[in-house]
Amino acid sequence: MVSGLLLHDADSYGDPAAVRTLFGLTGDIAAQAVAPGSPATAIGIGQNDTILAVEGKSVSVAWPKTEPRWERVSALRDSIDAALSRGGVDISWQSPGGALARTARLEGVAACPTRFELVDSKKSAAADGNRVLIGENFPGLGYDEAAFAAAVAHEMAHNILRHPQTFREIGWKRKLVRLSERDADRLMPWLLHNAGYDPRAAIRFMRTWGPRHGGWIFRKRTHDGWDERVEFIEAELATIERAAQDRDDGLADWSRYFSPEFDTATTDR
């Protein structure tokens, strides 16, 4: 259950006082962004509103400053998420400019549980079972939107198919890693199609990224060659088209038509 509210902590920046002044905050924890049409928008929380209390607990008292500094807003976010899963959470906030504080009940809506984070100084993209992590220097950030979405879809596929979770349970095995990467490649165009993108953007991403970053003849043994990966993606397109024809809304039900190689291999290991 999610609220559409993205929080940040002024104290996690290099100059917290300057951040508070810039955004008109009366505390450290504030709404960095609010998704349009979300429950947070519905009760009136806006960007740069300061979050004062959660479930009647003062944010500054119940969630004191931490080291490392990012842990405070992460803990607060987890508390809000837990309350949303139980039915809702009382939030108190104040808008910039000295407006009166307001309190309202914030309820969640069902959404994908994966979180998406931009990571400092990294050139890679990864998934850990709960998050998709995109390095700020990841080459795909310079691609067109649909091709970049393909990279995100690949990592999201790992979480959906529970690859990181499985490896934590059974340990790292090169053959299985290779199959997990292959399945994430194959599921990538399904996710793109259902998100409204051309599924062939997955091919465009791989053909752009692969020659420079896919290793080719020096590729990792945990991955197929980028040209082979293109072939695996292309092989899914006809099945996606058939699956989409079976539904009135045009979505492709991958859970029905997609056959993961990884699942079979882990069952037979």
Side-chain angles (χ1 to χ4, degrees):
M1 303 301 288
V2 301
S3 66
L5 178 62
L6 179 65
L7 300 177
H8 64 152
D9 185 351
D11 190 59
S12 67
Y13 294 88
D15 189 340
V19 172
R20 288 190 292 268
T21 299
L22 177 65
F23 296 124
L25 309 182
T26 56
D28 283 335
I29 307 298
Q32 184 176 13
V34 186
S38 67
T41 297
I43 67 170
I45 299 178
Q47 187 179 40
N48 298 328
D49 285 356
T50 302
I51 306 302
L52 303 175
V54 174
E55 294 285 61
K57 300 176 182 178
S58 168
V59 167
S60 61
V61 175
W63 290 272
K65 295 180 180 181
T66 60
E67 189 60 47
R69 291 182 288 181
W70 59 265
E71 287 185 345
R72 174 165 62 162
V73 74
S74 180
L76 177 59
R77 180 197 67 199
D78 289 346
S79 295
I80 292 174
D81 286 353
L84 291 174
S85 70
R86 296 191 297 267
V89 58
D90 290 332
I91 296 282
S92 299
W93 73 95
Q94 185 176 27
S95 299
L100 293 176
R102 299 174 58 190
T103 299
R105 186 73 171 173
L106 180 61
E107 297 182 352
V109 293
C112 173
T114 288
R115 294 186 180 278
F116 301 85
E117 297 183 11
L118 189 67
V119 182
D120 291 348
S121 305
K122 296 290 185 180
K123 296 181 179 180
S124 59
D128 67 3
N130 298 309
R131 301 174 297 170
V132 167
L133 306 164
I134 305 295
E136 65 176 353
N137 297 317
F138 177 60
L141 288 167
Y143 300 170
D144 66 83
E145 180 183 331
F148 173 64
V152 174
H154 173 95
E155 301 303 336
M156 192 172 174
H158 281 305
N159 287 349
I160 292 172
L161 297 173
R162 298 187 57 78
H163 295 155
Q165 299 91 320
T166 301
F167 284 123
R168 284 195 288 269
E169 295 172 1
I170 68 173
W172 190 91
K173 294 175 172 54
R174 181 182 288 118
K175 177 183 177 181
L176 294 181
V177 171
R178 187 164 183 153
L179 290 179
S180 74
E181 294 296 334
R182 186 179 300 171
D183 280 352
D185 286 339
R186 294 173 53 232
L187 187 58
M188 181 168 32
W190 291 81
L191 301 181
L192 286 173
H193 171 88
N194 288 343
Y197 293 103
D198 181 350
R200 291 170 180 80
I203 297 172
R204 189 164 67 253
F205 166 78
M206 195 61 67
R207 285 178 172 164
T208 304
W209 178 87
R212 291 188 178 184
H213 308 285
W216 201 32
I217 61 173
F218 303 109
R219 63 183 179 268
K220 297 178 181 179
R221 294 177 66 186
T222 53
H223 293 66
D224 296 303
W226 70 265
D227 48 344
E228 296 172 306
R229 298 173 76 175
V230 168
E231 292 176 358
F232 287 126
I233 295 168
E234 288 178 328
E236 295 295 320
L237 298 180
T239 308
I240 293 171
E241 186 174 347
R242 289 197 302 271
Q245 292 174 352
D246 283 351
R247 292 176 58 118
D248 293 335
D249 57 11
L251 298 178
D253 186 358
W254 66 265
S255 65
R256 179 180 175 188
Y257 289 94
F258 181 79
S259 299
E261 296 181 36
F262 180 82
D263 285 357
T264 301
T266 54
T267 300
D268 295 341
R269 72 182 185 276

